[in-house]
Amino acid sequence: MTTRVAVVGAGSIGVGWAIAFARAGYEVALVEPVAGRRDAARAEIASRLADLDELQLLGEPSARVCARVGATDDLEAAVARADYVQESVPEDESLKRSVFAQLDGLARPETVLASSSSAIPCSKLAAELPGRSRCLVAHPANPPYLLPVVELVPAPFTAERTVTRAAAVLSEAGLGVVRVRREVEGFVFNRLQGALLREAYCLVRDGVVGVEDLDRLVRDGLGRRWSVVGPFETVDLNTRGGIEAHAARMGPAYERMGAERGQHDPWTPELVQRVARERRALLPLDRWQERVEWRDRELMKLERARSGPPVAADPARSADRVEIGALLSRYCRMLDSMDLDLVETLFTRDCLVEYGPDERMRSRGVERLRAALERLHRFARTSHHVSNVEIVFTGPRSAEARSYVLAWHQEPDGSSRTLYGEYRDRLLRTPEGWRIAERRQVTHGSDVPWDLPLTPAERRARPAPSG
């Protein structure tokens, strides 16, 4: 038998609920006393279902889903037929209390009465009603048809069967149900959101960051990550050793940040152990690496979805990418063999190469570059490896590349060190093939903790001085 739902109120939350329930196959009566708002709600539902259909997020034609929603001003008839009622009027305590009194008088005794309240607990809305045991809060994320999670917040007087029935209706509609264990203002969703907003306002007030940049940090960083894993799983996976290792490392800093805002809530050892126990029950540490890899794959899928449909591969460009990658690898092999006669097969005749800000670390033309590279003869052995090559084509015969070179240098006395460099290259396609026209090293460092294998290469002897 088809579940019949009444959504009372046709604002943004009511429209979102109507779409969510209709997508699940439920029969929906959307109750709205204002004719203009009813007409607008119909148009909004049809438009959003058409968008979902276009993006292939509906399993059936949008018109069929839309037909399951009927907009009406007849509250009595809609509620009398409903198996489940979702109150969605504006966030006003007196208005919601009045609506719940009407619903309790109109609904059948077994019908669940749920409020979409964002912060007002059910104990303030239904405490005096004869049928209060079938009342609770079902607070959705907005819009509920795109953010499929809902908080079920019973009052002390709510019957367990009411919570169970509401959870079943909402779960069957495709929403993830979170059972909040006791009433608190704002429930869980808005308390978490409020904590972030309070800090955001403070950071803007204190001149630490601007509004646009703060939104960017959340949108492109925290928000993307939290769309895959929540805050506890985030820190559990970010630190090898899990929750306890993260709390030991970062807990004092977070305690200081909280105290700076007048909130002193340290993560006590007992609290950390409690959270850790719950996390380890969900994810044993011997599966930690497996879950990290899963998280990264999910973020890759998200990035792919955000980037749009894949662009068809261009066979010519694919060949160019292979050639450029091989060119950069040959450069490393040339350094290890010290076969500097190969410089002109890698660079244009008038190339510009900069390895640092000093004039002595800059050369123009292949002859000066070959002379500059002679300094590597002072090492007994070297090993260079190129990695993470990114190529962007800027024209039919031009490209830009970013790459990283890891280098191991051994002095004649046997001592050695490992360095890395990030290179930005401008490349041109010449009649002889791709060549590096400009190369700039933009970062460098030493004591890099990589154990690099040596490249087996015969080093050419230093040429004898002419004359």
Side-chain angles (χ1 to χ4, degrees):
M1 188 177 70
T2 301
T3 300
R4 293 172 297 192
V5 174
V7 178
V8 181
S12 61
I13 294 294
V15 165
W17 272 124
I19 295 171
F21 289 134
R23 286 177 74 185
Y26 295 173
E27 179 186 321
V28 182
L30 181 59
V31 183
E32 172 57 52
V34 179
R37 183 58 229 161
R38 281 199 308 275
D39 293 340
R42 289 190 187 98
E44 289 169 15
I45 291 169
S47 175
R48 292 174 195 177
L49 285 171
D51 289 342
L52 289 167
D53 194 14
E54 181 182 348
L55 293 169
Q56 300 180 350
L57 293 173
L58 289 178
E60 55 186 322
S62 61
R64 186 182 301 168
V65 180
C66 196
R68 296 191 188 111
V69 182
T72 178
D73 63 351
D74 191 341
L75 177 67
E76 181 176 359
V79 172
R81 296 182 70 247
D83 304 303
Y84 177 96
V85 177
Q86 187 72 46
E87 170 271 307
S88 302
V89 303
E91 191 78 357
D92 178 277
E93 185 176 329
S94 61
L95 174 61
K96 286 182 180 289
R97 191 183 298 116
S98 172
V99 168
F100 258 82
Q102 294 180 69
L103 297 178
D104 190 43
L106 296 172
R108 290 175 287 139
E110 68 275 13
T111 299
V112 172
L113 305 181
S115 173
S116 299
S117 170
S118 298
I120 307 168
C122 186
S123 57
K124 291 188 175 181
L125 303 178
E128 306 303 321
L129 299 181
R132 64 181 190 172
S133 65
R134 39 87 169 266
C135 301
L136 80 170
V137 165
H139 172 233
N142 189 22
Y145 65 93
L146 292 178
L147 302 177
V149 67
V150 59
E151 298 178 280
L152 285 188
V153 192
F157 49 70
T158 304
E160 178 59 31
R161 66 179 180 276
T162 299
V163 180
T164 301
R165 174 61 179 148
V169 169
L170 296 167
S171 296
E172 289 167 13
L175 284 89
V177 174
V178 173
R179 296 196 183 201
V180 179
R181 296 172 183 174
R182 65 182 182 88
E183 289 184 322
V184 290
E185 184 178 9
F187 317 128
V188 177
F189 191 101
N190 277 324
R191 290 180 84 91
L192 290 172
Q193 183 168 249
L196 182 60
L197 279 171
R198 283 193 299 274
E199 183 63 23
Y201 272 104
C202 288
L203 289 168
V204 171
R205 178 200 65 196
D206 297 344
V208 175
V209 70
V211 169
E212 182 181 5
D213 283 339
L214 190 140
D215 273 354
R216 182 178 292 111
L217 282 168
V218 175
R219 180 186 67 238
D220 296 339
L222 292 171
R224 288 200 196 190
R225 186 165 65 190
W226 287 343
S227 71
V228 174
V229 291
F232 280 128
E233 188 168 9
T234 290
V235 298
D236 196 31
L237 299 181
N238 275 2
T239 310
R240 192 172 293 276
I243 287 287
E244 291 177 306
H246 175 268
R249 186 174 303 171
M250 294 299 299
Y254 280 110
E255 182 178 353
R256 291 192 298 273
M257 286 183 250
E260 181 183 320
R261 301 294 187 210
Q263 181 177 346
H264 188 242
D265 289 315
W267 305 344
T268 64
E270 295 77 17
L271 179 58
V272 171
Q273 289 171 11
R274 176 180 175 182
V275 173
R277 280 195 304 272
E278 293 194 33
R279 279 299 307 154
R280 294 291 67 82
L282 295 166
L283 180 73
L285 276 180
D286 60 7
R287 295 183 55 203
W288 182 87
Q289 184 62 40
E290 174 188 338
R291 187 66 173 178
V292 169
E293 292 170 3
W294 171 87
R295 175 202 62 192
D296 292 352
R297 286 194 301 272
E298 293 301 305
L299 287 170
M300 291 174 198
K301 293 176 187 177
L302 178 64
E303 183 62 22
R304 176 68 269 168
R306 289 170 65 96
S307 300
V311 178
D314 182 336
R317 282 310 193 199
S318 297
D320 287 335
R321 289 180 187 278
V322 171
E323 184 178 344
I324 290 170
L327 171 71
L328 300 178
S329 295
R330 289 204 310 275
Y331 170 80
C332 290
R333 294 199 299 272
M334 179 269 293
L335 293 180
D336 292 335
S337 68
M338 288 305 295
D339 189 355
L340 300 183
D341 290 341
L342 297 176
V343 169
E344 62 187 15
T345 70
L346 305 172
F347 292 82
T348 60
R349 295 294 302 175
D350 62 345
C351 63
L352 174 64
V353 178
E354 297 180 356
Y355 285 103
D358 192 292
E359 183 63 33
R360 293 171 299 177
M361 305 177 75
R362 185 176 301 121
S363 60
R364 166 74 74 174
V366 292
E367 295 303 326
R368 291 191 63 186
L369 175 58
R370 183 187 292 114
L373 293 176
E374 284 283 345
R375 70 186 187 276
L376 292 178
H377 270 294
R378 75 178 186 271
F379 297 117
R381 292 183 297 175
T382 65
S383 181
H384 294 81
H385 299 254
V386 67
S387 66
N388 295 1
V389 179
E390 299 175 9
I391 300 168
V392 176
F393 292 99
T394 55
R397 298 179 178 274
S398 61
E400 294 179 352
R402 175 188 295 183
S403 62
Y404 296 84
V405 172
L406 306 178
W408 178 87
H409 295 166
Q410 185 181 52
E411 302 282 355
D413 64 4
S415 62
S416 65
R417 63 175 178 159
T418 304
L419 308 94
Y420 71 89
E422 179 186 349
Y423 293 90
R424 306 283 179 86
D425 296 329
R426 184 173 66 85
L427 302 108
L428 297 176
R429 185 164 59 185
T430 72
E432 294 78 26
W434 285 94
R435 297 289 186 269
I436 302 171
E438 293 182 13
R439 161 158 284 205
R440 289 181 171 83
Q441 181 174 328
V442 295
T443 63
H444 59 87
S446 60
D447 300 324
V448 181
W450 286 293
D451 182 15
L452 295 178
L454 289 177
T455 300
E458 294 292 330
R459 291 170 65 82
R460 292 187 62 176
R462 182 190 297 272
S466 59

